[in-house]
Amino acid sequence: MGRSRLTPEREAELYDAVLDLLREVGYDALTMDAVAARTRSSKATLYRQWQGKPELVARALRCSKPAGPGDVDTGTLRGDFAELVRRSDEHGRVEKDAALMRALGMAIHGNPELHQALRDVLLDPEVTGLNAMLQRAIDRGEIAADCPALQFAPHMLVGAIIARQLIEGRPADGAFLSAYLDAVVFPALGI
């Protein structure tokens, strides 16, 4: 779809409104009518730019994220992960992201289009970036190429974020993620 008709500023404004509505009412109650009203735009404009609510929500989430693993290269895997944790902890992102994940949690299971949009726009690029980051660590000799934990690195990281909220009722903040990396991820990778 031709997103070029919107300025980057207007697109960011629309994405912010979508995320605010998502936090307020959840995915199921979020409507294109509500987005149009909140952003003073027409539904026709929204549908010209995005195929529907699943794509709009996925792109809004993608736009709101700080740089992903593919955009970080400090020269060491520890440094790369530390930078990712720092970025995720900036500007109250952890609390905001936790609210968004709660809003999307159940919706993903009942909405295959949303699940696919999130995989295509958000998850797959993150996993690709993480795999590139891990490959650089292998190339530098930080991780053995045959390390059995490599294939589970995305699972370990996503699991930590989800499990903290489920088990403790608190978001996975920077302190938690740093401790988790030191206690679980790095030892599993042989670092």
Side-chain angles (χ1 to χ4, degrees), residues 97-120:
D97 287 350
L100 288 172
M101 291 305 109
R102 284 192 299 275
L104 290 172
M106 292 305 292
I108 289 171
H109 297 290
N111 189 319
E113 294 86 15
L114 174 63
H115 189 202
Q116 190 61 50
L118 290 173
R119 284 188 60 84
D120 293 346

Side-chain angles (χ1 to χ4, degrees), residues 74-112:
T74 65
T76 68
L77 188 62
R78 280 187 181 274
D80 291 349
F81 277 129
E83 178 61 14
L84 288 175
V85 167
R86 185 193 69 72
R87 290 179 185 189
S88 73
D89 223 13
E90 283 182 327
H91 310 296
R93 290 194 53 79
V94 172
E95 280 297 328
K96 288 180 181 178
D97 287 350
L100 288 172
M101 291 305 109
R102 284 192 299 275
L104 290 172
M106 292 305 292
I108 289 171
H109 297 290
N111 189 319

Side-chain angles (χ1 to χ4, degrees), residues 1 4 9 34 45 54 60 63 77 81 84 108 139 141-142 178 191:
M1 295 259 142
S4 62
E9 295 79 16
T45 297
C63 182
L77 188 62
F81 277 129
L84 288 175
I108 289 171
D139 295 345
E142 294 175 271
S178 293
I191 297 176

Side-chain angles (χ1 to χ4, degrees), residues 43-169:
K43 277 188 3 183
T45 297
L46 297 177
Y47 281 108
R48 258 195 319 273
Q49 298 298 313
W50 300 277
Q51 293 178 359
K53 182 169 77 167
E55 182 188 354
L56 176 57
V57 167
R59 295 221 177 266
L61 288 164
R62 182 77 201 154
C63 182
S64 75
K65 286 189 63 49
D71 302 320
V72 174
D73 186 358
T74 65
T76 68
L77 188 62
R78 280 187 181 274
D80 291 349
F81 277 129
E83 178 61 14
L84 288 175
V85 167
R86 185 193 69 72
R87 290 179 185 189
S88 73
D89 223 13
E90 283 182 327
H91 310 296
R93 290 194 53 79
V94 172
E95 280 297 328
K96 288 180 181 178
D97 287 350
L100 288 172
M101 291 305 109
R102 284 192 299 275
L104 290 172
M106 292 305 292
I108 289 171
H109 297 290
N111 189 319
E113 294 86 15
L114 174 63
H115 189 202
Q116 190 61 50
L118 290 173
R119 284 188 60 84
D120 293 346
V121 174
L122 198 62
L123 297 174
D124 289 348
E126 292 291 310
V127 171
T128 299
L130 176 62
N131 287 335
M133 183 182 284
L134 293 169
Q135 185 60 53
R136 287 191 305 269
I138 291 168
D139 295 345
R140 289 188 299 257
E142 294 175 271
I143 302 173
D146 62 351
C147 176
L150 275 170
Q151 66 180 328
F152 301 111
H155 304 83
M156 287 188 282
L157 296 169
V158 171
I161 293 166
I162 293 170
R164 178 99 191 266
Q165 186 67 47
L166 286 174
I167 294 169
E168 299 178 32

Side-chain angles (χ1 to χ4, degrees), residues 10-31:
R10 179 67 172 144
E11 193 171 36
E13 178 185 327
L14 284 163
Y15 288 153
D16 287 344
V18 168
L19 297 179
D20 287 344
L21 280 166
L22 189 58
R23 287 182 196 99
E24 292 168 20
V25 303
Y27 181 79
D28 290 333
L30 184 138
T31 64

